[in-house]
Every structure is written in structure tokens, then in C-alpha cells.
Amino acid sequence: MERMLTGITPSGVAHIGNYIGAIKPALAEQQDGREHFYFIADYHSLVKCWDASLRQQYSYDVAATWLALGLDADKTLFYRQSDVPEILELNWLLTSVAAKGLLNRAHAYKDKVAKNVHEGQDADNAITMGLYCYPVLMAADILAFNAKYVPVGKDQIQHIEIARDIAARFNHIYQQEVFVQPEAVVNEKTQTILGLDGRKMSKSYQNTIPVFTSSKQLRKNVMKIVTNSQLPEEPKDPEACTVFSIYSALATDEQVKELRARYEQGIGWGEAKQVLYEHLESLLQGPREKYRALMADRAGLDRLLEQGALRARDIAGPILQQAKRAAGVI
Ligand code: ADP
Ligand code: TRP
């Protein structure tokens, strides 16, 4: 069966942009007849965050968020990266064949070097080997399961190309087709959701609407979305409006048509925001309760993720063994 794999870095609390751009499309695919792997990339987060308790908290948060929003842990493989030691073992086999020149060209690393040079710092200032080798670990995540399809955002395409290169190189060096060449799957349709201030919604800009807050806070956030100074009765352009774009990413065609007509007739911003809030509330009310229950039972989340990891290890184990045997490491 074809395998599809998605890694989620536990680096913050999910916002509506993450939900529309990443979570919803990924969950829609879990019924497509392929075998799906969703994992919490806690080892990846080590590179960006050195706060142990925050990492732990975000890892549980990712797990609870995805489960509450509809991830089916029985139909898919859902696990924590750090519960699958085969990934790290494979990481070294891959590091040993990965060309340094290839990693020199990785955007995340190159951007950091360029920034250092621009600021008159040593080129390697604050760059860890973790950041440098990050694409190899990503290759290990994918190749440990010989996943063929990897849904990612545009910024991650280069990492998948690096994984392809490493897979081909390993196969070539050891003269065995151990690894399948993965392919990036980029959903061109998902739009970029704007945040409260009109820039891209991102936790880096502190302009987000978190998916799971109280109903009261959700309303407050929606009311904070920046709009222009048009009067209530003036006809409004739905295309240039953050409120409308969020609504249209979540509502049915019929509902979108209705709101569009109201914009064209003239709708007060407070009224438009109330429509969006009510829609979000109706969508998120059920998941919010589920999320809270999951977050209140960390032992339960641990059990569920550990079961996922056991199933994942059953798949990664033989692939790792094959790679080790090919490399003469047994
Ligand atoms: P952030 O920008 O808040 O740090 P991440 O970089 O962690 O978000 O993104 C996690 C996932 O959510 C990625 O797949 C990314 O493409 C998607 N995503 C993030 N922000 C948005 C947005 N504003 N609109 C659509 N998708 C988004
Ligand atoms: N690096 C990815 C991100 O920042 C997360 C990730 C880690 C990943 N390992 C992966 C994604 C393997 C796809 C496949 O979004």
C-alpha cells in the first residue's frame, strides 16, 4: 500500500491558519485508501527550542489538537518521533552518506549564515549541528517507513529533494534498492490565511486566532481583526477582507454565497465578524471539549502515542535491518 507521511513540529499552539492550511487538508486525506503516518517531530523541535517543559507541553498540545480535530488513531499511525528509535539509528546511516555540499545549500542553514555575515558576525555564529543536519533527520523520518508521498508546505520542498538525493545515494553506494524515493505533495489550493493585523497569520507575528480558546476569547479575537473604515451601509469588497477569507475557507459554498451577497449590499464589520465568530464557534465547540478532555489526561495521550509507536516500529524495524545489512553493519 502507498504510504503518506506528515511530520508536525511541536512549536506552539495551533491557530486558525495552521488549521486551514495544514491540519484540515491533512486530515481530509486519511480516508483515501493509503497508509497514513502522522508524527510529532519532537526531535526536530530540539533545534529551535531549548525549553524542556515547553517542548513537552507543545507535544501534548499537538497530539490533543489533531485528535480533537478528527485524526483517527486507529486508521492511521500516530506517534511521537522520539518513541521510534529506529529513526535515529537510520539517521546515522544516512548522515554517513549525505554529501556535505548538499546540506551547505539547505535554505534554513544558508539563511542563517547570510544573516550572520550581514550583521558582521562569525558565519557560524549560533548555528548548531542540529540545524545543519536537520534535513538528514527529516530524510530518516521518511525513509524509515519508505513513505512515497510527503505533504508539505512550499518551504519544505527542498528538504524532500534532499531526502530523495540521500535515498538514491545510499541505494547506489550499497548497490541495493533499500529506499523508495519520496515525493513532496504540495497543495497549491490552500490559501495563506491572514491574521488579526492583516499580515500572514503566524505565531511569529503574534497575530493569531488560536483554534482552542474559550468561546469568549474566540469572539474577542475575531472582533480584533483589522478592517477598513467603511461605513456599515457601504457595499464592501469580500475579496479584500480577512473576515471573509477565513469564513470562505470554512463555510459551505451556499453559506459563502450568502455572505458575499450581504457584503455587496453593505454589512457592518461588527455584523460580519459576528457571522464568522458564530461559524467558528459551531465548528470548534465539539472539538474544544474533546481537546480539553485529552489535555487533562496526559497518561491517556502517552498510551495512545506509544501504541502508535509500536505499530510504527514494526514497519521501521525491517527497513532499518535491510539498510544495516546492505551497509554491512551486522
Ligand atoms: P507559524 O507561521 O505560525 O509558525 P508553522 O510554520 O508552524 O506556523 O506552520 C505549520 C503549518 O501550518 C505549515 O504547514 C504551514 O504551511 C501552515 N500555516 C501556517 N500559517 C499559515 C497561514 N497563515 N495560512 C495557511 N497555512 C498556514
Ligand atoms: N520540518 C517539517 C516542518 O517544519 C516537519 C517535519 C519533520 C516533517 N520531519 C518531517 C515533515 C518529515 C514531513 C516529513 O514543517
Side-chain angles (χ1 to χ4, degrees):
M1 204 194 309
E2 280 176 345
R3 294 188 176 145
M4 199 140 185
L5 176 139
T6 308
I8 312 136
T9 308
S11 55
V13 170
H15 54 72
I16 297 290
N18 299 142
Y19 175 59
I20 297 170
I23 303 175
K24 198 165 163 256
L27 291 178
E29 274 160 357
Q30 60 182 335
Q31 316 290 0
D32 69 2
R34 290 187 273 209
E35 197 172 12
H36 285 271
F37 297 72
Y38 299 96
F39 71 97
I40 301 167
D42 52 349
Y43 277 147
H44 281 273
S45 81
L46 286 169
V47 173
K48 296 175 193 154
C49 163
W50 288 346
D51 183 325
S53 65
L54 210 55
R55 180 172 3 273
Q56 216 178 39
Q57 192 187 316
Y58 287 156
S59 296
Y60 285 114
D61 198 272
V62 165
T65 298
W66 282 66
L67 290 165
L69 291 171
L71 187 139
D72 184 338
D74 293 326
K75 290 212 181 91
T76 62
L77 286 107
F78 187 46
Y79 53 94
R80 226 177 340 224
Q81 182 185 31
S82 59
D83 285 338
V84 183
E86 286 77 6
I87 295 170
L88 279 200
E89 231 180 304
L90 183 60
N91 184 55
W92 183 248
L93 291 179
L94 301 180
T95 301
S96 313
V97 299
K100 177 169 178 284
L102 185 69
L103 299 178
N104 287 341
R105 291 194 290 276
H107 298 314
Y109 166 70
K110 254 176 67 176
D111 291 352
K112 262 244 153 91
V113 171
K115 187 164 174 271
N116 281 337
V117 172
H118 180 73
E119 289 170 357
Q121 306 265 19
D122 185 275
D124 287 334
N125 180 52
I127 296 179
T128 63
M129 287 307 291
L131 173 76
Y132 191 71
C133 296
Y134 186 101
V136 185
L137 182 56
M138 236 175 108
D141 291 330
I142 301 165
L143 303 183
F145 303 99
N146 266 334
K148 174 102 179 117
Y149 300 106
V150 188
V152 283
K154 288 201 185 82
D155 61 318
Q156 299 290 316
I157 296 176
Q158 189 195 28
H159 291 153
I160 310 307
E161 282 163 3
I162 294 175
R164 286 175 71 82
D165 195 288
I166 294 174
R169 206 168 148 103
F170 187 98
N171 289 351
H172 176 73
I173 289 173
Y174 295 114
Q175 288 296 299
Q176 244 187 74
E177 289 301 304
V178 177
F179 297 119
V180 169
Q181 298 248 333
E183 283 171 28
V185 180
V186 183
N187 191 345
E188 298 289 348
K189 277 188 301 202
T190 55
Q191 72 228 70
T192 298
I193 297 298
L194 301 183
L196 301 182
D197 58 0
R199 292 187 291 172
K200 174 186 181 247
M201 188 180 289
S202 169
K203 59 182 167 295
S204 330
Y205 299 146
Q206 285 151 357
N207 63 352
T208 67
I209 302 177
V211 176
F212 294 123
T213 47
S214 64
S215 148
K216 200 168 151 206
Q217 189 57 44
L218 178 64
R219 186 168 187 281
K220 265 194 188 160
N221 284 331
V222 171
M223 292 299 159
K224 273 196 251 166
I225 296 175
V226 172
T227 44
N228 63 24
S229 52
Q230 281 180 292
L231 298 171
E233 61 279 12
E234 284 182 70
K236 302 192 171 56
D237 178 9
E239 302 313 326
C241 173
T242 303
V243 176
F244 188 83
S245 75
I246 298 178
Y247 184 79
S248 58
L250 297 168
T252 63
D253 290 350
E254 196 53 38
Q255 288 169 321
V256 174
K257 211 171 121 193
E258 239 170 74
L259 188 62
R260 181 184 294 281
R262 290 178 69 187
Y263 265 65
E264 283 158 5
Q265 284 154 20
I267 183 173
W269 289 128
E271 224 180 310
K273 289 175 181 177
Q274 182 66 23
V275 172
L276 173 61
Y277 157 70
E278 281 171 14
H279 193 74
L280 284 171
E281 180 59 20
S282 73
L283 282 183
L284 296 176
Q285 202 174 29
R288 182 191 296 135
E289 275 166 35
K290 220 168 151 186
Y291 167 83
R292 287 191 179 147
L294 288 161
M295 283 302 272
D297 179 17
R298 286 189 170 196
L301 283 174
D302 281 333
R303 270 196 306 279
L304 186 136
L305 290 168
E306 279 157 18
Q307 279 161 11
L310 286 179
R311 288 168 54 215
R313 295 188 67 185
D314 277 345
I315 298 171
I319 296 173
L320 174 67
Q321 284 315 316
Q322 201 193 339
K324 284 171 79 173
R325 231 176 286 126
V329 185
I330 299 182

